[in-house]
């Protein structure tokens, strides 16, 4: 198989979603032929390095990891197609991907697990349903889970993001100090790397592609990470253009502040819906 095999969900009317099986990374989501996701012009598609942009799947670790790559192995593992894209009676298109433990994952993490990732492409929406299963008879494991969504925007300085007011956040640009968000809407004018905890179930980002709004609805994802490397850190990322930071914002639904704990034979489910308004 090529380093970058892709699966395309096509709803018609130039509305598509492209999933790279390397990491089950959503690398494109077009609504009426307008791309909604940011992928760096310098992204590497070699089947080794995580893809810089789109929607990388973060599991079982968020951030630095003593036992393996940053943000875990799911985004650098080859996923299986459980169900090829299929048109539903509604006209929407569904595909299902899965990842199970194997020699590659055991080299970093000795637990048995199974992930399922179900995508449904609607007219102006993309739905994500995630299942994490622990098939072990005796071992409990804990993990983190996050969808590292890179939204494409004309100018991040003009975006406003709702749903964080009153929430506590860990500021990774200030050595992990904890603050409370007092703003009604979050704006980005500098290097930003924050883990907002117990955020609202809905965020709206203004001024995305074509000046529209993007709605994020999430279930069982209590945390929201907001990231933009700004000019100083863009220069330090080899697979990211020095001048690309104004054209992206990461708003990432996840469960990272407190880990998911899965007893033997149990499952965890979470979901996200992105909607162009």
């Amino acid at each position: 198989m090529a380093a970058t095999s892709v699966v395309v969900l096509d709803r018609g009317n130039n509305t598509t979603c492209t999933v790279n099986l390397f990491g089950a990374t959503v690398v494109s989501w077009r609504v009426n032929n307008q791309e909604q996701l940011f992928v760096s012009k310098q992204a590497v598609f070699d089947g080794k390095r995580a893809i810089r942009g789109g929607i990388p799947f973060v599991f079982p670790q968020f951030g630095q990891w003593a036992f393996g790559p940053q943000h875990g192995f799911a985004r650098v593992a080859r996923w299986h197609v459980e169900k090829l894209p299929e048109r539903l009676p509604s006209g929407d298109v569904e595909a299902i991907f899965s990842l199970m433990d194997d020699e590659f994952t055991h080299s970093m993490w000795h637990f048995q697990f199974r992930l399922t990732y179900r995508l449904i492409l609607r007219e102006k929406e993309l739905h994500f349903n995630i299942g994490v299963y622990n098939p072990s008879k005796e071992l409990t494991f804990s993990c983190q889970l996050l969808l590292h969504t890179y939204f494409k925007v004309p100018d991040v300085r003009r975006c406003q993001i709702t749903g964080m007011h009153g929430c506590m956040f860990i500021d990774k640009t200030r050595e992990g100090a904890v603050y409370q968000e007092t703003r009604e809407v979050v704006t980005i004018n500098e290097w930003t790397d924050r883990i907002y905890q117990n955020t609202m179930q809905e965020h709206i980002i203004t001024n995305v592609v074509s000046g529209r709004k993007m709605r994020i609805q999430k279930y069982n994802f209590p945390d929201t990470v907001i990231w933009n490397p700004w000019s100083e850190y863009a220069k330090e990322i080899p697979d990211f253009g020095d001048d690309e930071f104004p054209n992206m914002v990461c708003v990432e639904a996840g469960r990272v502040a407190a880990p998911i704990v899965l007893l033997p034979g149990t499952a965890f489910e979470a979901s996200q819906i992105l909607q162009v308004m």
Side-chain angles (χ1 to χ4, degrees), residues 150 190-192 227-235 237 240-241 244-245 248 250:
Y150 287 75
E190 61 182 341
W191 172 38
T192 303
W227 180 70
N228 184 296
W230 217 250
S231 51
E232 63 262 45
Y233 282 92
K235 292 186 180 70
I237 305 172
F240 188 91
E244 290 186 305
F245 72 91
M248 55 74 67
C250 285

Side-chain angles (χ1 to χ4, degrees), residues 181-229:
E181 183 56 76
T182 56
R183 296 174 293 176
E184 288 288 342
V185 292
V186 169
T187 54
I188 296 174
N189 295 292
E190 61 182 341
W191 172 38
T192 303
D193 192 356
R194 297 176 167 191
I195 303 170
Y196 283 91
Q197 299 176 44
N198 298 313
T199 54
M200 291 164 214
Q201 283 202 314
E202 178 179 291
H203 299 295
I204 290 174
I205 312 172
T206 66
N207 284 315
V208 295
V209 176
S210 296
R212 301 184 78 144
K213 292 178 180 169
M214 179 72 66
R215 174 188 275 145
I216 304 168
Q217 292 168 291
K218 57 195 182 66
Y219 165 75
N220 240 356
F221 276 143
D223 306 314
T224 305
V225 175
I226 301 206
W227 180 70
N228 184 296

Side-chain angles (χ1 to χ4, degrees), residues 116-132:
T116 59
Y117 193 26
R118 177 171 171 245
L119 298 179
I120 300 172
L121 178 64
R122 302 188 67 177
E123 205 176 346
K124 289 192 165 59
E125 297 176 7
L126 188 54
H127 293 228
F128 307 77
N129 295 308
I130 298 168
V132 186

Side-chain angles (χ1 to χ4, degrees), residues 123-144:
E123 205 176 346
K124 289 192 165 59
E125 297 176 7
L126 188 54
H127 293 228
F128 307 77
N129 295 308
I130 298 168
V132 186
Y133 306 94
N134 179 1
S136 170
K137 301 264 189 296
E138 58 271 337
L139 293 178
T140 294
F141 69 72
S142 64
C143 62
Q144 294 163 306

